Amino acid sequence: VRYLFKKAFDTVNQAFQEIYPIMFSGGNAELKLTEPEDLLHTGVEIIAAPPGKKSRSLSLLSGGEKSLSAITLLFAIIKVSTVPFSILDEVEAALDEANVDRFSQYLETLNSKTQFIVITHRRSTMRAAQRLFGVTMVGTGISKIVSVRLDGELINKE
Amino acid sequence: VRYLFKKAFDTVNQAFQEIYPIMFSGGNAELKLTEPEDLLHTGVEIIAAPPGKKSRSLSLLSGGEKSLSAITLLFAIIKVSTVPFSILDEVEAALDEANVDRFSQYLETLNSKTQFIVITHRRSTMRAAQRLFGVTMVGTGISKIVSVRLDGELINKE
Amino acid sequence: MFLKTLTLTGFKSFQKKTTIDFDSRINGIIGPNGSGKSNLIEAIQFAMGEQSGKSLRGNTMKDIIFSGSQTEKALNRAKVQLILDNSDRLLKDYGDLVTISRILYRDGTSEYEINGQKVRQKDVQALFFSAGLGRDTLAFITQGKVQKIIDSDPVARRGVFEEVA
Amino acid sequence: MFLKTLTLTGFKSFQKKTTIDFDSRINGIIGPNGSGKSNLIEAIQFAMGEQSGKSLRGNTMKDIIFSGSQTEKALNRAKVQLILDNSDRLLKDYGDLVTISRILYRDGTSEYEINGQKVRQKDVQALFFSAGLGRDTLAFITQGKVQKIIDSDPVARRGVFEEVA
Ligand SMILES: Nc1ncnc2c1ncn2[C@@H]1O[C@H](COP(=O)(O)OP(=O)(O)OP(=O)(O)O)[C@@H](O)[C@H]1O
Ligand SMILES: Nc1ncnc2c1ncn2[C@@H]1O[C@H](COP(=O)(O)OP(=O)(O)OP(=O)(O)O)[C@@H](O)[C@H]1O
Ligand SMILES: [Mg+2]
Ligand SMILES: [Mg+2]
């Protein structure tokens, strides 16, 4: 068990270090074991420095930087292991336009390995989706599914 | 003290009942005291039913419905009491376009009583602002303020 | 393996039988606030063996059964069915299609089935764990929880790496 | 009363002296992720007498002092000054303009001033409380906290109504 945990940690850590500068357009990050000599109980620390910044405690990161760091960790895990499908509910709500674009672009590089179901209000995530499902609630509090086309009319309305 | 608390509760409750259908385009809501006979220790319950729906436990509300209910409570308080300035940090992040529009419109009705400082990524909130301040971070991790005009070019870029 | 079809009846705001075919690699779900988007995700988690009503935003599990609207009466059961495309045989013991369903009754009891055979909650949970989708997976990020992953305590994060192992 | 000017030096990512004149009724603040928008709000809370470093996202209060970047060295103090326009005399004991400032040193000590006179933290907090901006006010909603207002426990909500009273 210890050996498997360490191997999983090392491969995810390597992928995390590779993907972070892609998602943040620079900067660097890594994962660290809090107690490397006790693999059965050790925790996992995230050290992250957005571009141009010193690495500081995670609590000082901005809302968007926190979301993007978490998404980067998920992408690292998807890259190195088998995750048949992933469900994301408005995970990019706190991101600015540039970061949402990077998010949706990277999603497109992973979808051959993993199927994604993403709930979103953001335009560039909608554009990355190959198919959109609309959910509406008719006046009486009952949900229905409507199929939506990805043409301009929908995106502009949003 | 008890008398002042009850009076404050009653006036806020009345405003809350008035503003809720404006923010939600229908529906109704009210505030209730959990222990009306013990004004020194009672809690305050929020009962809310978005349009077309039965009133259910607050935990079943959607993310956007929760945000909008909290914003409605703040607006009710601002309406009935003196709040010199209010600072809102991306409070409308979970709202869809229609709800953000209602949020920014109502903000405009309150700004004669209260000054607002709002951090936002959403277009219609930016349009409601009479003045926009841009914050940028030059490559070296230092924040600077730039003044931005509210012309089309900025909004389209967002 | 991928999620091919989701069918739900009487689950939260989906009173009538509703079916969605997720036939693409990236499927987007959009709609106004309160329309039922997150309820769909919770239906998937429910069918995968979620045992806590609180994780589905209810006080008890029974809160997930359609409880009526201004015009419709409450129902007495909720049913969710998933059809998995297993043509890549990620699930070694099953064929091309795997159907998983769960019914919850007002008295709080649940009935699980895999390919029409009655099974226990543990069997459904084990099936998904063997496919890399156990309870600690980072692959499901529910609304508002993405920043909590960074705020969580280092030891709590271990589970994520144990899933990968 | 309204907030006319905010000036900060060495507060979080604002290394150099920075001044903002909030001369409108609705002032919008925009910018990319991580640029320093929420830091500005925390500077206002800091000057209003916030005593917990954790509420400003630090581990200790010292974390709010500019701690350097790839090219600049850390500073040893942070200063924030607020100028309030009090021409409506909401603050009865003061004139048209009220200047409030706070300095924090690396050793953790703070110095408060109102109109150039040294005061205690309690005096600054009392000034804002008398203007309807006490610690429990709903008027300040920091990032990510808006939904917590609905999730909070009914008794915890009492404070909001006591502020109004
Ligand atoms: N058991 C139930 N019966 C009927 N309706 C329910 C039940 N449980 C929850 N609901 C309704 O479902 C709605 C919430 O839906 P959901 O959280 O999926 O919205 P959403 O589309 O995700 O919205 P948002 O964009 O704001 O996140 C609530 O308004 C609630 O009243
Ligand atoms: N003491 C400090 N010295 C220097 N920089 C700091 C200090 N404390 C925090 N920072 C930096 O400030 C940045 C966060 O800024 P802030 O939270 O204001 O961003 P924001 O503009 O609100 O972004 P978002 O849109 O993502 O919410 C972090 O990247 C952090 O490194
Ligand atoms: Mg939702
Ligand atoms: Mg912020």
Side-chain angles (χ1 to χ4, degrees):
Chain A
V1 175
R2 269 177 294 205
Y3 169 69
L4 283 178
F5 176 81
K6 182 80 172 77
K7 194 164 163 303
F9 172 80
D10 289 338
T11 47
V12 172
N13 190 10
Q14 199 182 330
F16 186 65
Q17 292 179 24
E18 276 164 29
I19 300 174
Y20 189 91
I22 300 170
M23 299 306 290
F24 281 80
S25 265
N28 53 55
E30 65 171 327
L31 303 172
K32 270 214 172 121
L33 294 174
T34 51
E35 294 167 58
E37 66 297 326
D38 180 4
L39 291 178
L40 279 178
H41 301 103
T42 176
V44 176
E45 199 77 68
I46 299 173
I47 316 265
K53 303 183 184 182
K54 279 174 51 174
S55 117
R56 262 178 274 273
S57 134
L58 289 181
S59 67
L60 291 168
L61 287 177
S62 83
E65 289 171 334
K66 276 188 188 171
S67 296
L68 200 57
S69 304
I71 291 167
T72 304
L73 180 58
L74 169 65
F75 284 170
I77 287 170
I78 287 178
K79 199 165 174 201
V80 301
S81 67
T82 314
V83 175
F85 57 91
S86 171
I87 300 180
L88 306 176
D89 193 345
E90 303 192 24
V91 293
E92 61 337 20
L95 301 185
D96 59 34
E97 292 298 326
N99 281 327
V100 175
D101 287 346
R102 278 192 283 271
F103 163 73
S104 52
Q105 277 157 18
Y106 205 84
L107 212 62
E108 290 176 313
T109 68
L110 289 176
N111 77 42
S112 51
K113 271 187 79 103
T114 299
Q115 178 196 29
F116 288 98
I117 297 171
V118 278
I119 296 179
T120 184
H121 291 297
R122 307 296 294 267
R123 245 161 278 256
S124 66
T125 310
M126 287 180 207
R127 271 194 222 99
Q130 290 127 2
R131 198 153 148 56
L132 279 184
F133 298 93
V135 185
T136 85
M137 200 173 251
V138 293
T140 54
I142 314 273
S143 296
K144 291 204 185 340
I145 305 289
V146 293
S147 186
V148 286
R149 283 198 329 288
L150 195 50
D151 62 1
E153 172 245 315
L154 173 103
I155 297 284
N156 288 340
K157 214 187 74 223
E158 276 297 317
Chain B
V1 175
R2 269 181 297 220
Y3 169 70
L4 283 178
F5 176 83
K6 183 78 171 71
K7 192 162 164 299
F9 172 79
D10 288 339
T11 47
V12 173
N13 190 8
Q14 199 182 330
F16 186 66
Q17 292 178 24
E18 275 164 29
I19 300 174
Y20 189 90
I22 299 169
M23 300 305 291
F24 281 81
S25 265
N28 53 54
E30 65 172 327
L31 304 172
K32 270 213 172 122
L33 295 174
T34 50
E35 292 168 55
E37 66 297 325
D38 179 5
L39 291 178
L40 278 177
H41 301 103
T42 178
V44 177
E45 200 77 70
I46 299 172
I47 316 262
K53 302 182 183 180
K54 282 175 45 172
S55 118
R56 262 177 276 273
S57 138
L58 290 182
S59 65
L60 291 168
L61 287 177
S62 83
E65 289 170 333
K66 276 188 186 172
S67 295
L68 200 57
S69 304
I71 291 167
T72 304
L73 180 60
L74 170 65
F75 284 171
I77 287 170
I78 287 178
K79 201 166 171 194
V80 301
S81 66
T82 313
V83 175
F85 57 91
S86 171
I87 300 180
L88 306 176
D89 193 345
E90 303 193 24
V91 293
E92 72 315 37
L95 301 186
D96 59 36
E97 293 298 324
N99 281 328
V100 176
D101 288 345
R102 277 191 281 272
F103 163 75
S104 52
Q105 278 156 19
Y106 205 85
L107 212 60
E108 291 176 310
T109 69
L110 289 175
N111 76 46
S112 51
K113 275 188 76 106
T114 298
Q115 177 196 28
F116 288 97
I117 297 172
V118 280
I119 296 179
T120 184
H121 290 298
R122 306 297 292 268
R123 246 160 272 261
S124 66
T125 310
M126 287 181 208
R127 271 195 286 270
Q130 291 127 0
R131 195 150 149 62
L132 279 184
F133 298 94
V135 184
T136 84
M137 199 173 251
V138 294
T140 55
I142 314 272
S143 295
K144 289 202 186 333
I145 306 289
V146 292
S147 185
V148 286
R149 284 202 323 293
L150 194 50
D151 63 1
E153 172 245 314
L154 174 101
I155 298 284
N156 287 341
K157 213 185 72 220
E158 279 296 317
Chain C
M1 177 180 129
F2 67 90
L3 178 60
K4 189 172 153 56
T5 310
L6 164 67
T7 307
L8 59 168
T9 318
F11 184 90
K12 288 205 169 187
S13 53
F14 291 87
Q15 179 212 25
K16 300 196 175 53
K17 185 170 179 172
T18 309
T19 298
I20 304 186
D21 285 318
F22 293 116
D23 48 16
S24 305
R25 299 303 292 166
I26 301 181
N27 304 273
I29 299 178
I30 63 173
N33 290 137
S35 56
K37 302 184 298 293
S38 297
N39 291 347
L40 281 175
I41 304 308
E42 287 170 341
I44 297 171
Q45 289 178 298
F46 169 78
M48 289 173 66
E50 178 56 62
Q51 56 213 54
S52 138
K54 282 224 178 331
S55 304
L56 304 179
R57 291 182 291 165
N59 294 323
T60 68
M61 193 51 98
K62 281 177 276 185
D63 284 341
I64 59 94
I65 303 174
F66 177 72
S67 60
S69 72
Q70 290 204 336
T71 53
E72 309 281 338
K73 284 206 311 294
L75 296 178
N76 283 323
R77 58 178 234 165
K79 179 175 179 182
V80 177
Q81 177 182 288
L82 307 177
I83 299 178
L84 303 174
D85 180 308
N86 185 42
S87 42
D88 67 355
R89 290 294 188 276
L90 179 69
L91 299 173
K92 293 192 198 54
D93 312 331
Y94 295 96
D96 274 2
L97 288 182
V98 184
T99 306
I100 294 158
S101 74
R102 179 180 180 181
I103 299 176
L104 181 85
Y105 298 97
R106 273 269 168 223
D107 66 1
T109 56
S110 277
E111 253 170 48
Y112 288 88
E113 286 185 9
I114 297 178
N115 292 337
Q117 304 282 333
K118 275 216 185 11
V119 295
R120 292 165 308 167
Q121 186 173 55
K122 279 198 337 233
D123 302 323
V124 169
Q125 291 169 339
L127 181 148
F128 284 104
F129 185 78
S130 72
L133 291 173
R135 213 168 140 53
D136 276 334
T137 177
L138 217 56
F140 283 23
I141 302 181
T142 53
Q143 193 168 5
K145 297 284 179 285
V146 66
Q147 293 186 14
K148 296 231 182 342
I149 295 165
I150 296 297
D151 294 333
S152 69
D153 143 54
V155 176
R157 271 190 216 119
R158 270 188 74 80
V160 166
F161 295 88
E162 282 165 352
E163 284 275 340
V164 172
Chain D
M1 175 180 127
F2 68 90
L3 178 60
K4 189 172 152 54
T5 310
L6 163 66
T7 307
L8 58 169
T9 318
F11 184 90
K12 287 206 168 187
S13 53
F14 291 87
Q15 178 212 25
K16 301 197 173 51
K17 185 172 179 170
T18 309
T19 299
I20 303 185
D21 287 318
F22 293 115
D23 47 15
S24 305
R25 300 302 292 165
I26 302 181
N27 303 275
I29 298 178
I30 63 172
N33 290 137
S35 55
K37 302 182 298 292
S38 298
N39 291 347
L40 281 176
I41 304 308
E42 288 170 341
I44 297 172
Q45 291 177 297
F46 168 80
M48 289 173 65
E50 177 57 61
Q51 54 210 32
S52 136
K54 282 226 180 334
S55 306
L56 303 180
R57 291 182 290 166
N59 294 323
T60 70
M61 192 49 98
K62 283 177 277 185
D63 283 341
I64 59 93
I65 303 173
F66 177 73
S67 60
S69 72
Q70 290 202 336
T71 55
E72 309 283 335
K73 283 205 309 298
L75 296 179
N76 284 323
R77 57 177 235 166
K79 179 175 179 179
V80 179
Q81 176 184 289
L82 306 178
I83 299 179
L84 304 174
D85 180 307
N86 185 42
S87 41
D88 66 356
R89 290 293 188 276
L90 179 69
L91 300 172
K92 296 191 195 55
D93 312 332
Y94 296 94
D96 274 1
L97 288 181
V98 183
T99 305
I100 294 157
S101 74
R102 178 179 180 182
I103 300 175
L104 180 86
Y105 297 96
R106 273 266 170 229
D107 65 358
T109 58
S110 276
E111 255 171 44
Y112 289 87
E113 286 183 8
I114 297 179
N115 291 339
Q117 304 284 332
K118 272 214 192 1
V119 295
R120 291 164 308 168
Q121 186 172 53
K122 286 204 325 241
D123 302 324
V124 170
Q125 291 169 339
L127 180 149
F128 285 103
F129 185 75
S130 73
L133 290 173
R135 213 171 140 48
D136 276 333
T137 178
L138 214 56
F140 283 28
I141 302 180
T142 53
Q143 193 168 3
K145 297 282 179 287
V146 65
Q147 293 186 13
K148 295 226 183 343
I149 295 165
I150 296 297
D151 294 331
S152 68
D153 140 55
V155 175
R157 272 190 215 118
R158 273 187 73 81
V160 167
F161 296 86
E162 283 166 350
E163 283 277 340
V164 174

